[in-house]
């Protein structure tokens, strides 16, 4: 029982997803029946191979139980327990309350959803939209605010937790009013609070310059309170600038230079990317292309492509080798886009040897090129006159599953037919292979249809390799598929036949062309009569 | 094993009560009419192990000074039954179990009875479940053939 998938990359994705779902099935069993998996053979103990304990251990109403539930991320249970503790009159320490506030604000007052969906799906879904406001929006009398109100002396941490929760769940104006409360209580905010407020700033004001002024105010206050900005601050400012339109673009440059002056962040992804960005055609591009803080890599590529800068492209590719930057490359879709752009840039700009070196390095270990990329590659081969590599490329095309893409195959045939060098044998093999591709129509495979050009190309290739018999069969296909052969094709055929001296074939050729009512039939007849000794019947 | 004491002078009589397992009938397929297909593994008898056959289970606990042989045997039996049941009807030949350090490698040859994606699902499931069960990393190396490879007919 065979199944042919359209390409290697889809097969790879399918198989890795099925393996992942098998693992999830096993995990379900392990966590549902943990008593069978308790016996510990391993010395030293391997905690990740034990079943997960999802139930809280400590039952009594105490602070330790609260801490445990916070660790296990059980939001609702923790809140209940806190209420019970309050009612019983036990004082809960500020630290623990702060942790509880953090928990609530992070998970939005409800338990985190169980992860049943395989990881790939979630990312692709949420990728292209700006993450819309999450389902939970800060309700009027929710637990976070309630518990906060119960605190006798909230400290910086509590305010920070509350403000960040509000910003995360789109309650922006509330966040700012809480911030004012904090200032009124003469407390200092920490860097995380400021980051959250900067992210929230564009949502609170209408006009671009008001937004920018608010951000500047926040930064000034940060400086006053002697809070050092960090990498996340930079990210937040840039993200916010994205919403500020043209004003944002002009402000981005000075922001970055200031941040560089403060030497924000170690050799992390973003700060590494910036020097490169600054070298290239203006960093206005950067702000507009910085769509998601996590996937700037192929946006850099978009930019490189616009400017056709191959050096830039190489530098960005090297960036990927540094430290953790490979994570920037994202999941399959983004990876494909990145490599597709890289290859098309290479095909355009570099000569064929370099291109082939990259091709052999990356394909198929890292990337399965699409049929468009293969067409670009063929064009590059053509430009550099390396058409002798076509048989190898054809093998690769077959392996990648692109052998039934009409455009690609037609391009290949045209190139082969044009080439008049000594590669005839191998070209002829390829041509016959391609013919088989047209014929076999397995269920599920896309069937290609013959065109006049593709038929003529195949015939010319076969004739060049002196394979008259095969060429003859293909000539017959013209009739079956309702295509008309061209004049030069028939002439070429006639020349071949004259070389071989097959009179019958010549007559048949004339009959075929007469069957198509081609205008040059009389000329053909003349030539045949001239060249050959025809018997009476054949006349 | 039952012991009975007839006299206080400690006279013991032991009764062996497992099923009869003759050593000259185990793992031997007898010659028949000629219609029974037999794989290479099945065709050669246990005295050919080491000469014409390899070992189905490879571990170091049978060396001098090493312990744990009995536990390995029990694990092997469990793993073979598990594989037989999980990949039901797909096994073309016996499962080979190799232990390298902590790692447990299960090498199986399967008939292409299921879709590849289903095979991958079962592989993921088996690896995860057995790793959690035996508290050691388990890897499956699988190979598929179109049909059972017949060595001869007996």
């Amino acid at each position: 029982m065979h199944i042919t998938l359209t390409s290697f990359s889809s097969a790879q994705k399918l198989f890795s997803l099925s393996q992942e779902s098998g693992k999830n099935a096993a995990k379900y069993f392990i966590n549902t029946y943990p008593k069978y998996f308790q016996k510990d053979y391993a010395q030293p103990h391997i905690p990740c191979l034990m079943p997960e304990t999802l139930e809280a251990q400590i039952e009594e109403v105490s602070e330790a139980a609260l801490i445990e539930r916070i660790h296990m991320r059980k939001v609702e249970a923790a809140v209940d327990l806190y209420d019970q503790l309050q009612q019983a009159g036990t004082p809960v320490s500020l630290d623990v309350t702060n942790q509880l506030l953090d928990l609530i604000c992070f998970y939005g007052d409800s338990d985190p959803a169980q992860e049943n969906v395989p990881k790939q799906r979630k990312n692709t879904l949420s990728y292209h939209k700006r993450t819309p406001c999450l389902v939970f929006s800060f309700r009027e009398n929710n637990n976070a605010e309630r518990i906060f109100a119960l605190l006798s002396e909230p400290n910086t941490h509590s305010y920070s937790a509350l403000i960040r929760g509000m910003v995360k769940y789109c309650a922006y104006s509330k966040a700012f009013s809480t911030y004012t409360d904090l200032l009124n209580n003469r407390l200092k905010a920490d860097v995380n609070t400021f980051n959250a407020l900067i992210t929230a700033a564009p949502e609170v004001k209408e006009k671009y310059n008001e937004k920018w002024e608010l951000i500047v105010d926040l930064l000034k206050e940060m400086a006053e309170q002697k809070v050092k900005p960090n990498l996340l601050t930079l990210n937040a400012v840039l993200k916010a600038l994205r919403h500020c339109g043209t004003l944002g673009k002009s402000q981005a440059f000075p922001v970055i230079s200031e941040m560089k002056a403060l030497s924000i962040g170690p050799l992390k992804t973003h700060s590494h990317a910036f020097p490169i960005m600054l070298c290239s055609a203006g960093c206005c591009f950067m702000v507009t292309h910085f769509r998601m803080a996590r996937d700037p890599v192929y946006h850099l590529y978009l930019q490189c492509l616009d400017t056709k800068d191959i050096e830039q492209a190489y530098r960005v590719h090297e960036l990927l080798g540094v430290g953790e930057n490979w994570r920037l490359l994202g999941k399959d879709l983004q990876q494909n886009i990145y490599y597709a752009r890289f290859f098309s840039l290479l095909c355009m700009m570099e000569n064929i040897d370099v291109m082939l070196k990259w091709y052999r390095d990356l394909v198929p270990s890292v990337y399965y090129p699409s049929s468009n990329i293969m067409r670009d590659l063929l064009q590059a081969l053509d430009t550099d006159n390396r058409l002798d590599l076509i048989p190898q490329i054809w093998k690769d095309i077959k392996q990648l599953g692109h052998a039934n893409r009409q455009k690609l195959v037609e391009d290949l045939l045209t190139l082969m037919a044009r080439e008049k060098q000594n590669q005839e044998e191998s070209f002829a093999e390829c041509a016959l292979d391609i013919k088989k591709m047209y014929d076999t129509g397995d269920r599920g495979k896309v069937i290609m249809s013959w065109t006049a050009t593709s038929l003529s190309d195949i015939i010319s290739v076969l004739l060049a390799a002196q394979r008259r018999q095969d060429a003859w069969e293909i000539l017959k296909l013209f009739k079956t598929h309702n295509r008309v052969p061209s004049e030069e094709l028939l002439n070429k055929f006639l020349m071949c036949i004259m070389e071989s001296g097959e009179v019958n074939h010549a007559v048949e050729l004339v009959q075929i062309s007469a069957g198509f009512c081609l205008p040059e039939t009389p000329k053909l007849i003349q030539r045949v009569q001239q060249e050959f000794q025809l018997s009476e019947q054949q006349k | 094993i039952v012991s009975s004491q007839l006299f206080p002078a400690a006279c013991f009589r032991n009764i062996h009560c497992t099923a009869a397992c003759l050593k000259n009938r185990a793992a031997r397929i007898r010659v028949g009419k000629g219609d029974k297909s037999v794989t290479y593994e099945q065709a050669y008898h246990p005295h050919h192990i080491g000469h014409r056959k390899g070992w189905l289970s490879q571990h170091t606990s049978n060396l001098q000074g090493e312990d744990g042989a009995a536990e390995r045997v029990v694990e092997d039996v469990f793993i073979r039954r598990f594989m037989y049941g999980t990949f039901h009807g797909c096994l073309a030949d016996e499962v080979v179990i190799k232990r390298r350090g902590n790692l447990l490698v299960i090498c199986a040859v399967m008939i292409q009875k299921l879709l590849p994606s289903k095979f991958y699902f079962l592989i993921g499931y088996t690896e995860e479940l057995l790793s959690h069960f035996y508290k050691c990393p388990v890897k499956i190396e699988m190979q598929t053939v179109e049909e059972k490879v017949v060595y001869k007919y007996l």
Side-chain angles (χ1 to χ4, degrees):
Chain A
M1 186 199 269
H2 297 286
I3 185 169
T4 41
L5 292 163
T6 48
S7 72
F8 259 19
S9 54
S10 62
Q12 181 203 33
K13 256 185 275 192
L14 177 67
F15 295 156
S16 62
L17 282 179
S18 9
Q19 192 158 358
E20 198 59 45
S21 63
K23 291 202 168 95
N24 288 342
K27 282 208 182 84
Y28 169 75
F29 279 117
I30 295 166
N31 292 330
T32 321
Y33 303 102
K35 60 181 173 169
Y36 298 117
F37 297 92
Q38 297 291 357
K39 184 155 183 206
D40 195 5
Y41 301 93
Q43 290 161 352
H45 180 65
I46 305 176
C48 73
L49 288 180
M50 302 294 289
E52 289 170 15
T53 42
L54 294 176
E55 299 304 318
Q57 303 296 340
I58 312 179
E59 286 305 322
E60 72 221 357
V61 177
S62 73
E63 204 164 312
L66 182 59
I67 295 179
E68 199 197 1
R69 276 165 188 70
I70 294 177
H71 278 306
M72 289 200 310
R73 308 282 186 261
K74 288 182 178 299
V75 180
E76 291 179 4
V79 172
D80 285 337
L81 195 61
Y82 183 78
D83 287 334
Q84 285 179 357
L85 279 172
Q86 288 289 64
Q87 280 174 349
T90 339
V92 186
S93 68
L94 193 57
D95 280 337
V96 180
T97 324
N98 281 343
Q99 285 183 11
L100 180 62
L101 272 177
D102 275 337
L103 184 73
I104 301 178
C105 293
F106 188 76
Y107 284 112
D109 220 5
S110 55
D111 279 324
Q114 295 308 316
E115 292 212 11
N116 284 328
V117 193
K119 301 168 200 145
Q120 331 285 69
R121 296 274 170 236
K122 266 203 186 138
N123 284 351
T124 47
L125 272 180
S126 62
Y127 164 60
H128 271 295
K129 318 185 200 127
R130 272 186 56 203
T131 30
C133 216
L134 307 165
V135 176
F136 165 77
S137 49
F138 237 57
R139 298 185 295 264
E140 275 309 312
N141 43 351
N142 58 40
N143 291 324
E145 290 186 337
R146 185 170 59 88
I147 295 183
F148 185 75
L150 287 175
L151 279 175
S152 51
E153 10 168 288
N155 68 355
T156 313
H157 194 127
S158 353
Y159 271 109
S160 151
L162 194 62
I163 293 180
R164 288 163 80 187
M166 286 173 171
V167 170
K168 181 168 178 179
Y169 291 99
C170 310
Y172 301 116
S173 31
K174 272 198 200 172
F176 274 98
S177 40
T178 322
Y179 177 63
T180 355
D181 276 342
L182 174 138
L183 290 177
N184 288 343
N185 286 350
R186 263 168 262 144
L187 286 171
K188 290 193 173 187
D190 65 353
V191 66
N192 294 321
T193 325
F194 276 113
N195 291 345
L197 286 172
I198 292 176
T199 328
E203 312 288 339
V204 195
K205 301 279 185 197
E206 290 297 323
K207 294 210 197 135
Y208 289 157
N209 49 354
E210 285 178 12
K211 295 185 196 187
W212 175 241
E213 279 169 18
L214 186 55
I215 296 179
V216 172
D217 286 338
L218 282 169
L219 288 170
K220 282 197 198 135
E221 285 177 31
M222 213 157 114
E224 271 173 46
Q225 298 189 13
K226 308 239 187 330
V227 176
K228 285 202 60 123
N230 66 1
L231 189 60
L232 295 169
T233 324
L234 180 57
N235 275 354
V237 172
L238 287 171
K239 255 199 208 159
L241 280 179
R242 178 163 54 96
H243 295 297
C244 292
T246 40
L247 182 62
K249 288 189 202 171
S250 54
Q251 295 297 338
F253 211 152
V255 164
I256 298 172
S257 17
E258 271 203 43
M259 294 290 181
K260 260 184 82 174
L262 293 168
S263 56
I264 300 279
L267 271 187
K268 264 191 145 179
T269 57
H270 306 291
S271 55
H272 216 245
F274 290 168
I276 293 193
M277 294 274 205
L278 291 175
C279 306
S280 64
C283 70
C284 319
F285 281 110
M286 171 203 47
V287 180
T288 43
H289 288 301
F290 220 85
R291 249 182 267 155
M292 276 207 182
R294 273 199 284 150
D295 310 310
V297 181
Y298 65 93
H299 293 295
L300 288 179
Y301 255 88
L302 271 177
Q303 187 198 350
C304 293
L305 260 190
D306 291 340
T307 55
K308 304 230 191 306
D309 196 344
I310 190 78
E311 292 303 312
Q312 198 82 295
Y314 282 143
R315 262 186 282 168
V316 176
H317 194 75
E318 265 179 53
L319 254 190
L320 281 181
V322 176
E324 293 274 303
N325 287 357
W326 59 270
R327 288 184 203 275
L328 269 186
L329 206 46
K331 295 281 177 185
D332 306 319
L333 184 64
Q334 281 105 296
Q335 266 195 346
N336 275 341
I337 298 178
Y338 171 82
Y339 280 113
R341 289 184 199 273
F342 189 43
F343 270 100
S344 43
L345 194 62
L346 277 178
C347 287
M348 255 196 290
M349 308 294 296
E350 290 281 354
N351 70 0
I352 193 64
D353 292 321
V354 177
M355 172 69 214
L356 281 176
K357 180 178 89 66
W358 279 107
Y359 181 76
R360 272 187 273 273
D361 272 342
L362 296 176
V363 174
S365 51
V366 167
Y367 170 59
Y368 299 112
S370 64
S371 60
N372 290 336
I373 301 293
M374 298 310 289
R375 288 178 68 200
D376 284 344
L377 182 61
L378 285 177
Q379 251 184 343
L381 283 177
D382 190 20
T383 333
D384 274 341
N385 261 329
R386 290 296 303 275
L387 291 178
D388 50 318
L389 292 172
I390 284 192
Q392 291 176 11
I393 305 289
W394 168 244
K395 259 199 297 197
D396 286 342
I397 293 179
K398 263 200 295 185
Q399 255 198 335
L400 292 167
H402 292 314
N404 50 6
R405 305 256 185 237
Q406 182 124 358
K407 280 204 171 311
L408 181 59
V409 173
E410 284 177 8
D411 277 353
L412 197 64
L413 284 174
T414 330
L415 282 179
M416 280 202 296
R418 253 196 355 220
E419 185 73 2
K420 298 277 181 248
Q421 290 176 7
N422 40 5
Q423 289 290 324
E424 282 98 33
E425 269 311 306
S426 37
F427 278 15
E429 296 291 329
C430 278
L432 285 174
D433 231 358
I434 295 179
K435 172 169 171 288
K436 266 188 265 172
M437 288 291 144
Y438 273 94
D439 289 337
T440 54
D442 271 340
R443 60 181 172 95
K445 260 197 180 155
V446 172
I447 304 182
M448 301 190 286
S449 52
W450 288 106
T451 62
T453 18
S454 52
L455 282 170
S456 348
D457 288 332
I458 288 199
I459 294 188
S460 352
V461 172
L462 288 170
L463 284 179
Q466 312 292 335
R467 298 229 187 157
R468 239 158 279 118
Q469 192 51 37
D470 300 317
W472 199 246
E473 288 167 30
I474 299 196
L475 198 60
K476 304 219 178 74
L477 281 178
F478 268 107
K479 198 62 192 265
T480 36
H481 289 266
N482 286 334
R483 303 265 181 254
V484 180
S486 66
E487 168 185 337
E488 33 177 302
L489 181 66
L490 289 175
N491 280 337
K492 244 194 277 185
F493 220 110
L494 192 60
M495 297 234 292
C496 252
I497 296 182
M498 289 197 294
E499 281 171 29
S500 69
E502 287 276 332
V503 187
N504 291 333
H505 279 183
V507 176
E508 272 190 58
L509 189 67
V510 174
Q511 281 174 333
I512 289 177
S513 92
F516 281 112
C517 304
L518 290 172
E520 57 268 8
T521 320
K523 273 190 258 159
L524 276 177
I525 296 183
Q526 256 191 341
R527 281 180 69 184
V528 169
Q529 281 176 337
Q530 272 178 327
E531 305 288 334
F532 294 103
Q533 326 289 20
L534 292 171
S535 71
E536 273 310 313
Q537 180 212 7
Q538 286 161 336
K539 277 203 189 127
Chain B
I1 298 177
V2 166
S3 72
S4 71
Q5 196 170 354
L6 290 182
F7 294 117
C11 168
F12 286 101
R13 170 162 300 194
N14 293 324
I15 300 179
H16 186 112
C17 52
T18 57
C21 35
L22 299 171
K23 64 170 168 47
N24 45 8
R25 301 223 51 119
R28 285 163 203 270
I29 300 204
R30 305 277 158 170
V31 175
K33 280 211 191 69
D35 53 352
K36 193 168 38 176
S37 67
V38 141
T39 62
Y40 187 90
E41 186 69 41
Q42 293 165 331
Y44 285 105
H45 296 162
H47 61 269
H48 288 128
I49 293 179
H51 303 273
R52 302 184 198 175
K53 286 208 297 190
W55 280 263
L56 286 181
S57 169
Q58 297 171 6
H59 53 84
T60 55
S61 41
N62 284 329
L63 297 174
Q64 161 87 335
E66 300 289 333
D67 58 355
E71 286 88 359
R72 302 292 92 78
V73 170
V74 173
E75 285 169 18
D76 281 359
V77 170
F78 179 82
I79 291 171
R80 283 174 209 284
R81 284 185 185 228
F82 188 85
M83 293 298 285
Y84 181 71
T86 313
F87 295 88
H88 196 78
C90 298
L91 279 176
D93 206 344
E94 296 285 335
V95 170
V96 173
I97 302 178
K98 306 183 189 179
R99 286 179 177 76
R100 299 172 193 150
N102 195 16
L103 177 66
L104 187 64
V105 181
I106 302 176
C107 313
V109 181
M110 303 278 174
I111 305 175
Q112 288 166 3
K113 194 173 143 186
L114 299 173
L115 291 175
S117 46
K118 299 201 187 195
F119 271 124
Y120 274 100
F121 176 88
L122 288 175
I123 288 177
Y125 165 78
T126 313
E127 282 184 355
E128 189 75 15
L129 201 80
L130 287 180
S131 320
H132 279 255
F133 194 60
Y134 284 124
K135 308 285 181 266
C136 62
V138 172
K139 295 255 175 294
I140 294 189
E141 285 169 13
M142 202 167 86
Q143 188 191 346
T144 55
V145 289
E146 284 201 355
E147 290 174 350
K148 243 188 188 180
V149 183
V150 175
Y151 179 65
K152 60 184 184 186
Y153 290 91
L154 287 181

